[in-house]
Amino acid sequence: MARQNTVFKDAFNRCLLQLANTASLPSEPELGNALGVSRTTVRGILTRLEELGLIRWNKRSKTVLRQPKPEDYYPEDETDSLSAIIERSFMRRILAGGAEPGMQINELEIARDIGIGTTSVREFLIRFSRFGLIEKRPNSHWVLKGFTREFALELTEVREMFELRSAISFVALPAEHPAWADLTRIEAVHHDILADIDGRYTEFSELDERFHLLVHKSSANRFIVDFYDIITIVFHYHYQWNKTNARERNARALEEHLDYIAALRSRDPARVEEACRRHLRSARETLLQSIA
Amino acid sequence: MARQNTVFKDAFNRCLLQLANTASLPSEPELGNALGVSRTTVRGILTRLEELGLIRWNKRSKTVLRQPKPEDYYPEDETDSLSAIIERSFMRRILAGGAEPGMQINELEIARDIGIGTTSVREFLIRFSRFGLIEKRPNSHWVLKGFTREFALELTEVREMFELRSAISFVALPAEHPAWADLTRIEAVHHDILADIDGRYTEFSELDERFHLLVHKSSANRFIVDFYDIITIVFHYHYQWNKTNARERNARALEEHLDYIAALRSRDPARVEEACRRHLRSARETLLQSIA
DNA sequence: TTTTTGTCTTTTATCGACAATAGACAGTTC
DNA sequence: GAACTGTCTATTGTCGATAAAAGACAAAAA
């Protein structure tokens, strides 16, 4: 097979969710827009919905006949894009497994391991190389540079430069800029989670990403915003792997965020700088502790 | 054909140059080291040298029989790696041609244009995307973001942050660090070029890259050093295309470099910061002028 | 006249294949 | 016994092929 129809299956599943609330479906272009796919895929979905007896479809009329049952959905693991699968598998290898710096990375081996072609693995590695964890020897293998203490220090050094600058430019945003409203929403979630910290502390990781990305975006600089991808992926996988003291860590970080947010609101650059520095310093400590 | 033997041809040509000075060639591993290729390729080269009657080869003895003639070399254009070919072709497209921001980029079209397969084009685009000039729409085309004024401003903003920090850490390098010797060598070339500015001003571009890279490297931060790739490629292709006032521009930049180098030598951070700022400001102006 | 649908073409994502190149191992030579 | 060569295997770089997905265009419907 040349390509898995994961786009179709994933969009189909999302379409079933939308089906729950309506008696009939909108036009093909509109559906395509809502699901983020082309009309070709939409028509594939409609065809399948009809086959399963979920709708009656005749040109413009798409009448819902019954509600979807669990067995109508495609299994979740068939909806993952190939690159997502490779990413997970690769990160497990280099974070969880005893991956020594300097180790060789073998495209063919990874491909066989996952059961896919080498092309996709190559493309993943090329994309991944910008994170600075691997390096290519031309005409030969890749080398793992490793998730080391140096890596963490270099990463956080740049992060601190970028975030400090972004935070300063945040306070210069006009009052009607949507970022302020986003900030309010994000602040509210902080309070919600803190109120039930024992039950919800695991939601911090995602919130953390949203908050810092919002700050970085105010720099209006593509290089700064793009760099945040590296932070995201490192923290994302790293925290999946290292969960010691997660509750305390997250509670503390939430408090620091609230300080930081208050500082942004004050629009006082000196105060922002101080709150930002304090939070980033403790984030760096946390990261370093879990490495060494 | 699955793959051009450009590595072989290029190494063969370089080997012919080395041949000029010796009566016999060293061992296979040693040759491989000198040329940066594997023993397999070395043996290919030796075989070819023997076929052409350039050497007599018997196990350890590789006696040079005659000096290479021009027709012994492979044509230069057969020694370019595919990715270098794609890069040149692509940069010509987006810098020289009237490439509007927002334009779609079509893998298949580029591949047909150059007469190669799509895989290599895809891989090039993925690698190139980290420069922030193009962006992928998943399952669909790439979009050219364009070499615009915003791009130049975002690029120089980060460059200034990084270089300032690197320059400051440069003065902290111990006196025996090789960077100081490199700096001396680079400074000397500045004087050489200035002494014959009319004849040699075109050599500035390469010198500029060497100098700034040396500064960036003293940061010992892979993200800062890697970022310099973007600067390099942008300036490299940009100056190939825009040559107005090159002589005056370069002369001025050379003087600024000399100030900057003197400041580094003084090891006075305040003086370094000032000289660095001044030079980067004028570099930014130059870049901006040639865009708008 | 604008939106929707039917149909058809083009492009992307992925695979398998194969030559170029790297690299491993054992026997050979100094 | 250290380095070199002969031979063999494994991996990378690139191509062509193909299903999935996107998208163009004209006919049909509102």
Side-chain angles (χ1 to χ4, degrees):
Chain A
M1 61 224 110
R3 192 178 180 178
Q4 300 299 118
N5 54 349
T6 54
V7 172
F8 162 75
K9 287 178 177 170
D10 181 57
F12 180 85
N13 281 358
R14 281 181 292 128
C15 188
L16 284 190
L17 293 174
Q18 299 207 354
L19 209 79
N21 307 313
T22 39
S24 76
L25 291 172
S27 77
E28 296 173 10
E30 200 172 326
L31 251 178
N33 242 23
L35 297 169
V37 295
S38 75
R39 262 190 66 220
T40 306
T41 305
V42 167
R43 300 188 115 239
I45 292 171
L46 291 172
T47 307
R48 174 80 179 152
L49 287 174
E50 189 171 36
E51 273 170 24
L52 290 176
L54 278 151
I55 60 166
R56 178 175 22 247
W57 178 28
N58 189 296
K59 308 204 169 168
R60 295 173 190 229
S61 108
K62 300 149 193 124
T63 323
V64 176
L65 295 178
R66 66 171 175 84
Q67 287 304 301
K69 287 178 273 186
E71 61 267 32
D72 294 326
Y73 290 83
Y74 286 102
E76 261 201 58
D77 59 321
E78 288 179 22
T79 64
D80 285 343
S81 83
L82 193 44
S83 54
I85 294 171
I86 301 175
E87 183 186 296
R88 266 204 306 281
S89 162
F90 183 77
M91 290 307 276
R92 190 166 37 238
R93 241 170 211 259
I94 71 168
L95 284 183
E100 304 300 322
M103 212 181 68
Q104 292 185 13
I105 296 168
N106 188 310
E107 295 175 2
L108 198 55
E109 187 189 323
I110 295 178
R112 274 193 297 242
D113 199 40
I114 313 183
I116 58 176
T118 48
T119 314
S120 314
V121 174
R122 273 176 79 76
E123 291 184 0
F124 168 78
L125 291 172
I126 294 171
R127 261 177 285 131
F128 190 80
S129 65
R130 79 191 193 86
F131 297 152
L133 282 165
I134 60 175
E135 200 172 53
K136 179 132 191 70
R137 297 292 144 84
N139 294 311
S140 183
H141 50 260
W142 292 80
V143 176
L144 178 64
K145 297 171 84 178
F147 192 64
T148 62
R149 191 176 173 78
E150 290 78 50
F151 176 81
L153 286 171
E154 293 167 28
L155 182 72
T156 50
E157 180 182 12
V158 174
R159 181 201 187 167
E160 284 161 29
M161 260 190 271
F162 281 175
E163 183 151 349
L164 219 48
R165 166 158 311 216
S166 304
I168 301 292
S169 54
F170 199 108
V171 304
L173 293 177
E176 67 277 12
H177 193 286
W180 291 108
D182 290 338
L183 190 66
T184 304
R185 266 191 297 277
I186 286 177
E187 185 179 24
V189 183
H190 277 77
H191 287 298
D192 291 351
I193 296 186
L194 269 176
D196 177 20
I197 184 72
D198 287 321
R200 300 180 58 184
Y201 72 92
T202 53
E203 293 175 40
F204 172 71
S205 157
E206 201 195 318
L207 183 64
D208 186 64
E209 190 198 321
R210 264 177 72 199
F211 172 56
H212 288 286
L213 184 57
L214 180 68
V215 174
H216 281 240
K217 275 195 172 149
S218 72
S219 71
N221 185 308
R222 73 190 76 185
F223 300 105
I224 294 181
V225 175
D226 286 355
F227 183 79
Y228 193 68
D229 286 354
I230 310 181
I231 308 277
T232 302
I233 200 166
V234 165
F235 278 70
H236 176 75
Y237 284 102
H238 193 61
Y239 285 152
Q240 277 198 353
W241 170 54
N242 182 315
K243 291 190 170 150
T244 52
N245 288 327
R247 209 195 62 88
E248 290 73 20
R249 263 199 277 121
N250 293 356
R252 181 165 162 219
L254 283 162
E255 298 286 2
E256 286 171 4
H257 277 186
L258 288 172
D259 269 7
Y260 187 176
I261 292 172
L264 289 170
R265 278 256 167 61
S266 78
R267 289 174 174 264
D268 172 357
R271 207 179 137 192
V272 167
E273 179 164 345
E274 209 239 307
C276 176
R277 276 229 152 81
R278 183 145 21 90
H279 174 55
L280 291 177
R281 195 176 322 123
S282 95
R284 181 177 56 203
E285 288 313 312
T286 306
L287 185 63
L288 284 175
Q289 269 168 29
S290 60
I291 287 178
Chain B
M1 61 224 111
R3 191 178 181 178
Q4 300 300 118
N5 53 350
T6 54
V7 172
F8 163 75
K9 287 178 177 169
D10 181 56
F12 179 86
N13 281 359
R14 281 180 293 126
C15 189
L16 285 190
L17 293 174
Q18 300 207 353
L19 209 80
N21 308 313
T22 39
S24 75
L25 291 173
S27 76
E28 295 173 12
E30 201 171 327
L31 251 179
N33 241 23
L35 297 169
V37 296
S38 75
R39 259 190 68 219
T40 306
T41 304
V42 168
R43 300 188 115 240
I45 292 171
L46 292 172
T47 306
R48 175 78 181 153
L49 287 174
E50 189 171 37
E51 273 171 25
L52 290 177
L54 278 152
I55 61 167
R56 178 173 22 244
W57 178 28
N58 190 297
K59 307 203 171 170
R60 296 174 190 228
S61 107
K62 300 151 192 121
T63 324
V64 176
L65 295 179
R66 67 169 175 86
Q67 287 304 301
K69 288 178 271 184
E71 62 266 34
D72 294 325
Y73 290 83
Y74 286 101
E76 260 202 58
D77 58 320
E78 288 179 23
T79 65
D80 284 342
S81 83
L82 192 43
S83 55
I85 294 172
I86 301 175
E87 183 186 297
R88 265 204 306 282
S89 162
F90 183 77
M91 291 307 274
R92 190 165 36 236
R93 242 170 211 258
I94 73 168
L95 284 183
E100 304 301 320
M103 213 181 67
Q104 291 185 14
I105 297 168
N106 188 310
E107 295 174 2
L108 199 54
E109 187 188 324
I110 295 178
R112 273 193 297 242
D113 199 41
I114 313 184
I116 59 176
T118 48
T119 314
S120 316
V121 175
R122 273 176 79 75
E123 291 183 1
F124 168 79
L125 291 173
I126 294 171
R127 260 177 285 132
F128 189 79
S129 65
R130 79 190 194 84
F131 297 153
L133 283 165
I134 60 175
E135 199 173 54
K136 178 132 190 70
R137 296 293 145 82
N139 295 311
S140 182
H141 51 259
W142 292 80
V143 176
L144 177 64
K145 297 170 85 178
F147 191 65
T148 61
R149 191 176 173 79
E150 290 79 50
F151 176 82
L153 286 170
E154 293 167 30
L155 182 72
T156 50
E157 181 183 11
V158 174
R159 180 202 188 166
E160 283 160 28
M161 260 190 272
F162 282 175
E163 182 150 349
L164 218 48
R165 167 159 308 219
S166 304
I168 300 292
S169 54
F170 199 108
V171 304
L173 293 177
E176 69 276 13
H177 193 286
W180 290 110
D182 289 340
L183 190 66
T184 304
R185 265 191 299 278
I186 287 177
E187 185 178 23
V189 183
H190 277 78
H191 288 299
D192 291 350
I193 296 186
L194 269 176
D196 176 20
I197 183 72
D198 287 321
R200 299 180 60 185
Y201 74 92
T202 53
E203 293 173 41
F204 171 72
S205 158
E206 201 195 318
L207 183 64
D208 186 64
E209 190 197 322
R210 265 177 70 199
F211 172 55
H212 288 286
L213 184 58
L214 179 68
V215 173
H216 280 240
K217 275 194 172 150
S218 72
S219 71
N221 185 308
R222 73 190 74 183
F223 300 105
I224 293 181
V225 176
D226 285 355
F227 183 80
Y228 193 68
D229 285 355
I230 309 181
I231 308 276
T232 301
I233 199 166
V234 165
F235 279 70
H236 176 74
Y237 283 103
H238 192 61
Y239 285 152
Q240 276 199 353
W241 170 54
N242 182 315
K243 291 190 170 150
T244 52
N245 288 327
R247 207 195 65 88
E248 291 73 21
R249 263 200 276 122
N250 293 356
R252 183 167 160 216
L254 283 162
E255 298 287 1
E256 285 171 4
H257 277 187
L258 288 173
D259 269 6
Y260 187 175
I261 292 172
L264 289 171
R265 278 257 167 60
S266 78
R267 288 175 176 264
D268 171 357
R271 205 179 138 192
V272 168
E273 179 165 345
E274 211 238 306
C276 176
R277 275 229 153 82
R278 183 147 19 91
H279 174 54
L280 291 176
R281 195 176 323 123
S282 96
R284 181 177 58 203
E285 288 313 313
T286 306
L287 185 63
L288 285 174
Q289 269 168 31
S290 62
I291 288 177

